Amino acid sequence: MSRFLPGKRLGLLLIIMAALLTVAYAFRLEAIAWHLWGTQQVKHDTLGLKNYTVEHEAIEIPGVGSDLSDLSYNHETHTLFTVSNQQPLIVELSLTGEVLRTIHVKGIKDMEGIAHIGGNRFALLNEAKHSLVIADIHAGVDELDVSGSPSLTLAMYAHDNKGFEGIVWDKERQRLLVAKERSPKRVIAIHGFVDALPGQPVNIHIEKLQETASCGLRDLSAVTYDASTGHVLLLSDDSRMVAEYDAEGKMLDTLALWRGFQDLSRSVPQAEGLAIGPDKRIYVISEPNLFYVFKPGSAGRKSTI
């Protein structure tokens, strides 16, 4: 009976391992493992993401290009806001995905995020310049010039083209949370920028949160915040997953964006935006401009891919 030499055995083992890793990466097997088993022993109060089911699936949003990114829930108007960086546009949506208005924006070229702060105030995320812009978006307007608006450059990441992909306002702690896509993945909190007064000294504090998704997520596409639990939700396009984290950075629960999970008939192709409403419905937007709503429920998850 023939035997492999030690060197040939090692080479064959390396080939098999490489093939297994390639398959695991292609089918997101590590993310599926996290969804099925990675949070089973967590005892915290959570949103129960695994029990969510899709309520509106792949609703097409017409007439606004094909690259909508980020979502923000306006708790005063009960509408959603998203951005398109190609035109550039701010788009206001109903909670079922109908376009309510489009706002053409001047003075910014690469919008990747939007966060409603309160009243007419919003924060815009400019990925190309690694900066934040404060803008007033009044009811009924269809044009906006932010050329002279207050802005903040996050210079510590200006050399990195794996930039910021999502932003949300944490009203309770009076801070902006900004998600960095990768290299490294992280969420930073910015204090003092939103409430800075023109002509007055500015005291801005920036900190890295522990919700860095160091495990379970391949990248960060968006961030949102649930005030009732104090938990941060992170969206990963590469992992096709929404993950919930507590204040210590512990992953608590996950919502899968693959076919067969959460009653999805097809996988969400390229998730780019995430928001949560007061009734705990979760809203997701995906390229090419597809809109999803997930509602809380008690239905068991499916396990087919």
Side-chain angles (χ1 to χ4, degrees):
M1 183 174 59
S2 62
R3 295 181 179 179
F4 288 106
L5 296 175
K8 291 184 176 180
R9 288 179 180 175
L10 178 60
L12 180 60
L13 180 61
L14 291 174
I15 291 172
I16 293 173
M17 290 178 62
L20 291 174
L21 288 173
T22 300
V23 171
Y25 186 87
F27 289 95
R28 298 172 171 86
L29 296 185
E30 87 292 348
I32 293 173
W34 268 105
H35 178 69
L36 293 176
W37 303 294
T39 57
Q40 294 299 306
Q41 302 303 315
V42 174
K43 302 301 181 183
H44 297 68
D45 292 332
T46 72
L47 292 166
L49 295 183
K50 285 187 176 66
N51 293 327
Y52 273 61
T53 56
V54 67
E55 183 177 27
H56 298 286
E57 180 176 2
I59 303 299
E60 294 186 12
I61 302 175
V64 291
S66 60
D67 65 334
L68 293 182
S69 181
D70 210 11
L71 273 177
S72 181
Y73 192 102
N74 186 326
H75 288 260
E76 298 170 24
T77 62
H78 297 290
T79 58
L80 296 161
F81 285 78
T82 184
V83 296
S84 170
N85 62 18
Q86 287 184 347
Q87 303 201 42
L89 288 175
I90 295 172
V91 182
E92 185 176 8
L93 302 170
S94 74
L95 299 184
T96 52
E98 292 89 359
V99 175
L100 301 178
R101 64 169 165 160
T102 57
I103 304 166
H104 295 266
V105 185
K106 298 178 181 178
I108 189 170
K109 292 184 178 180
D110 191 14
M111 286 189 297
E112 283 290 341
I114 185 169
H116 178 244
I117 297 169
N120 298 317
R121 301 189 79 199
F122 289 78
L124 304 177
L125 183 58
N126 186 337
E127 186 181 28
K129 293 187 176 181
H130 298 80
S131 66
L132 308 177
V133 176
I134 300 297
D136 289 323
I137 304 176
H138 295 275
V141 302
D142 56 12
E143 290 188 358
L144 179 68
D145 190 343
V146 300
S147 302
S149 299
S151 63
L152 172 69
T153 299
L154 302 171
M156 63 282 221
Y157 298 115
H159 66 285
D160 189 352
N161 64 354
K162 299 298 182 183
F164 298 108
E165 290 288 328
I167 185 171
V168 70
W169 173 243
D170 175 0
K171 181 179 179 180
E172 284 64 37
R173 294 178 176 83
Q174 294 289 293
R175 61 183 183 173
L176 286 167
L177 303 180
V178 182
K180 188 174 182 297
E181 181 182 8
R182 53 165 57 99
S183 303
K185 297 172 294 181
R186 67 179 36 159
V187 178
I188 63 171
I190 302 170
H191 303 260
F193 173 55
V194 168
D195 52 4
L197 297 174
Q200 299 296 318
V202 178
N203 182 18
I204 293 176
H205 174 61
I206 299 175
E207 62 176 330
K208 180 181 73 172
L209 298 193
Q210 296 185 33
E211 299 94 340
T212 54
S214 59
C215 59
L217 299 181
R218 294 185 181 183
D219 69 341
L220 301 184
S221 301
V223 57
T224 195
Y225 176 78
D226 177 51
S228 66
T229 60
H231 294 166
V232 170
L233 276 68
L234 298 177
L235 170 68
S236 171
D237 163 41
D238 280 354
S239 295
R240 284 189 180 152
M241 190 161 70
V242 176
E244 178 184 358
Y245 293 81
D246 66 13
E248 286 71 44
K250 177 71 174 180
M251 182 189 282
L252 304 177
D253 206 354
T254 55
L255 182 153
L257 302 177
W258 315 299
R259 177 175 63 89
F261 290 83
Q262 326 293 160
D263 285 344
L264 283 165
S265 61
R266 293 185 179 182
S267 298
V268 178
Q270 187 174 340
E272 295 288 342
L274 176 70
I276 186 169
D279 61 357
K280 307 309 173 190
R281 277 178 167 79
I282 289 175
Y283 304 88
V284 172
I285 202 161
S286 170
E287 293 186 10
N289 293 2
L290 300 176
F291 180 79
Y292 299 78
V293 182
F294 296 87
K295 64 179 180 179
S298 58
R301 65 180 181 270
K302 299 178 182 179
S303 58
T304 58
I305 302 171

